[in-house]
Amino acid sequence: MSTFRTPRLRVRLVLAAAITVTAAACTGPVSRVPLSSPEYLNAASAKAPSPGAAGLGDPLFPLDGNGGYRVDRYLLDFDWQAPRTPFEAATTIKATATQSLSRFDLDFAGNTLHTVTVDGKTAATRRDGDELVITPAKPLAQGKAFTVKVTYTADPTQLRHRDDAIEDYGWIPTPDGTVLYPQPNGAKMIFPSDDHPSRRAPITFRITTPPGLTAVANGKLTDRSEGADGRVRWTYDSEQPLATQLAQLAIGKFTLVDSEGPHGLPIRDVVPDDLVAPTEEYRKLTADHIAWLEERLGPYPFNRYGLLVGDTDLGVALETNTISLIPKADLLGERVGAERNLVHELTHQWTGDSVGIKTWSDLWLSEGHARFYERLYSQEHGGDDFETMMKAAYANHDQWRHDAGAPAEPTEPNLFKRMRYDGSALVLYALREKVGEETFGKIERAWTTQYRGKIASTQEYVDLASKVAGEDLEGFLHPWLYGAKTPPMPNHPDWVVNPVQS
């Protein structure tokens, strides 16, 4: 129920317009009016402009993302100088208003703000925590395309910390540059954005580096040009829309190693110069990993892939779109552990990157799938027995539910705890036991095909699984995903859940 009251004169005008439209509909064929047409914009402008929401209301991160507009493309201009050294940056956002806007927000943390313009005109701004509140010189009509440009001094020392698997995130320093770890909501430390996994847009990166350094980013290198001063400008196009938490930008002394995957897929690894030879053995396995996953999840969903070897002490890898960040330690240890991590991040390209999540509570779909296929692959290639690992997860499931919430009911502090990994893989294992391997395989391929390039929710997975299986699986999956107690495991009446320890 709205508390906004339309003035009586406007009511009469709106009613008159409605009568005219109805009469036209009765006397001739109906034609669709494009959102960009003058008729649509004039009608939309009749609504009083109002502020866009400061956040999307996600239960875990309510102020992440923003209301009132849709980002159509980001253009990032970074004038990189040296490790841990501030540099000048600009973010240009091409967007479309989804309501009549008097003002709107961008997610933007830290950094020294210089100027903000909307369609070339200076806009009023204020900072409110991680929100950059922008009031354009004049309101934006619903359906209007507009351009925001933010100039600022970027601070590549910005980090935040979580007490779960993520640990440090944001700008991750390396000896001669940086890599990015934006998950879960660290993109706002790097560029002003609509920072929520349900909001995806393509990104153009334009990075200028000193001589001797290489810049890489998601997608395809479209241009490399050298200035009179020797500085090099690198331009990348992400090619497909991506969530801000999956953006990658790395700068350093890199060797680019090209190879080919299944069906001629271009593979380019980005490797610190002195790590090329030590990491080669495991990096060369990528084509085999892709082929193995394609048998289970369908065709690889992007135009290219590669590994970015992080010369850092970072403890965890990250599935940034088309270029997974892999800490060097993962590639310098024993093979079974290395392959588990490589297959985990690669699986995310299907589930998490291509098929995105609608809310952070849907994270189990992303991490659970990655852990499931990681464990399954490992069993076939010298690792632990898959069923034994699932039995161990089952024994601990009530404890994990107590400590970190059910798989689809996390809270913000425990979002990336064990439940979202092994605990969520166990849900998929239970589903496979319930419907059988053949039907489960059909569900998985339908999931990655039907929602390719889209975002999807837990409920949509349950609905699709039910449709493919030919039976209503809501009653089976709901207790697994939301219940306080772990349900019995199909086909394994002997499996026991350990008592919860306070």
Side-chain angles (χ1 to χ4, degrees), residues 274-430:
D274 59 352
L275 291 173
V276 174
T279 63
E280 181 180 14
E281 179 183 357
Y282 300 157
R283 288 189 294 100
K284 289 173 68 174
L285 300 171
T286 296
D288 292 339
H289 295 161
I290 293 172
W292 187 89
L293 282 166
E294 284 192 330
E295 291 177 3
R296 290 152 181 84
L297 298 174
Y300 176 76
F302 298 111
N303 296 336
R304 62 199 73 250
Y305 186 62
L307 306 178
L308 167 60
V309 180
D311 190 3
T312 75
D313 294 327
L314 192 67
V316 287
L318 183 63
E319 65 275 13
T320 42
N321 264 61
T322 71
I323 179 170
S324 291
L325 171 62
I326 309 292
K328 62 182 178 181
D330 287 0
L331 298 169
L332 298 175
E334 48 85 26
R335 177 165 173 163
V336 169
E339 288 202 86
R340 278 188 55 192
N341 290 331
L342 291 169
V343 171
H344 182 105
E345 303 310 329
L346 177 58
T347 302
H348 275 304
Q349 301 298 317
W350 281 265
T351 62
D353 291 20
S354 175
V355 182
I357 57 174
K358 280 192 176 179
T359 72
W360 279 112
S361 297
D362 300 315
L363 182 66
W364 79 273
L365 281 165
S366 176
E367 297 298 348
H369 274 98
R371 182 55 55 87
F372 181 92
Y373 289 101
E374 161 206 329
R375 291 285 191 189
L376 193 61
Y377 177 92
S378 187
Q379 172 187 257
E380 297 178 14
H381 295 82
D384 294 324
D385 177 71
F386 183 48
E387 185 173 298
T388 300
M389 292 297 97
M390 292 298 96
K391 184 177 181 180
Y394 186 82
N396 290 301
H397 223 245
D398 273 3
Q399 187 69 54
W400 293 342
R401 287 172 190 267
H402 174 272
D403 296 342
E409 281 192 324
T411 59
E412 187 275 330
N414 60 47
L415 178 58
F416 289 90
K417 291 289 180 71
R418 190 82 175 265
M419 178 57 93
R420 249 52 66 191
Y421 297 86
D422 293 275
S424 298
L426 186 70
V427 177
L428 298 172
Y429 178 83

Side-chain angles (χ1 to χ4, degrees), residues 225-238:
S225 57
E226 188 172 330
D229 58 357
R231 290 177 64 81
V232 180
R233 188 186 198 192
W234 310 79
T235 303
Y236 287 84
D237 184 347
S238 70

Side-chain angles (χ1 to χ4, degrees), residues 99-362:
Q99 68 178 67
S100 185
L101 280 172
S102 59
R103 70 170 188 261
F104 59 92
D105 286 23
L106 293 173
D107 299 308
F108 191 47
N111 297 297
T112 303
L113 184 66
H114 297 318
T115 64
V116 178
T117 61
V118 177
D119 290 335
K121 297 181 180 179
T122 300
T125 63
R126 64 180 175 87
R127 306 293 290 270
D128 184 8
D130 288 345
E131 299 293 313
L132 173 60
V133 185
I134 300 172
T135 304
K138 62 179 182 179
L140 302 169
Q142 183 177 3
K144 173 179 169 54
F146 65 99
T147 300
V148 185
K149 184 172 183 179
V150 182
T151 64
Y152 55 101
T153 299
D155 179 5
T157 67
Q158 277 209 91
L159 278 175
R160 291 185 179 180
H161 182 80
R162 292 181 57 85
D163 292 325
D164 55 18
I166 296 294
E167 299 181 347
D168 293 335
Y169 65 105
W171 294 93
I172 306 297
T174 63
D176 44 37
T178 191
V179 296
L180 298 186
Y181 202 106
Q183 195 179 66
N185 59 351
K188 62 172 67 77
M189 289 185 273
I190 297 151
F191 60 100
S193 58
D194 193 10
D195 192 11
H196 187 269
S198 67
R199 300 301 183 94
R200 311 204 291 189
I203 303 178
T204 300
F205 302 82
R206 296 182 292 221
I207 312 113
T208 304
T209 64
L213 296 182
T214 299
V216 296
N218 309 91
K220 181 180 181 180
L221 176 66
T222 59
D223 185 62
R224 180 190 180 279
S225 57
E226 188 172 330
D229 58 357
R231 290 177 64 81
V232 180
R233 188 186 198 192
W234 310 79
T235 303
Y236 287 84
D237 184 347
S238 70
E239 299 182 293
Q240 286 99 356
L242 68 155
T244 50
Q245 62 145 341
L246 301 174
Q248 185 55 263
L249 164 72
I251 297 167
K253 295 179 181 178
F254 295 133
T255 297
L256 305 181
V257 183
D258 291 314
S259 60
E260 191 173 281
H263 325 295
L265 178 74
I267 297 175
R268 169 169 286 184
D269 293 339
V270 180
V271 192
D273 292 345
D274 59 352
L275 291 173
V276 174
T279 63
E280 181 180 14
E281 179 183 357
Y282 300 157
R283 288 189 294 100
K284 289 173 68 174
L285 300 171
T286 296
D288 292 339
H289 295 161
I290 293 172
W292 187 89
L293 282 166
E294 284 192 330
E295 291 177 3
R296 290 152 181 84
L297 298 174
Y300 176 76
F302 298 111
N303 296 336
R304 62 199 73 250
Y305 186 62
L307 306 178
L308 167 60
V309 180
D311 190 3
T312 75
D313 294 327
L314 192 67
V316 287
L318 183 63
E319 65 275 13
T320 42
N321 264 61
T322 71
I323 179 170
S324 291
L325 171 62
I326 309 292
K328 62 182 178 181
D330 287 0
L331 298 169
L332 298 175
E334 48 85 26
R335 177 165 173 163
V336 169
E339 288 202 86
R340 278 188 55 192
N341 290 331
L342 291 169
V343 171
H344 182 105
E345 303 310 329
L346 177 58
T347 302
H348 275 304
Q349 301 298 317
W350 281 265
T351 62
D353 291 20
S354 175
V355 182
I357 57 174
K358 280 192 176 179
T359 72
W360 279 112
S361 297
D362 300 315

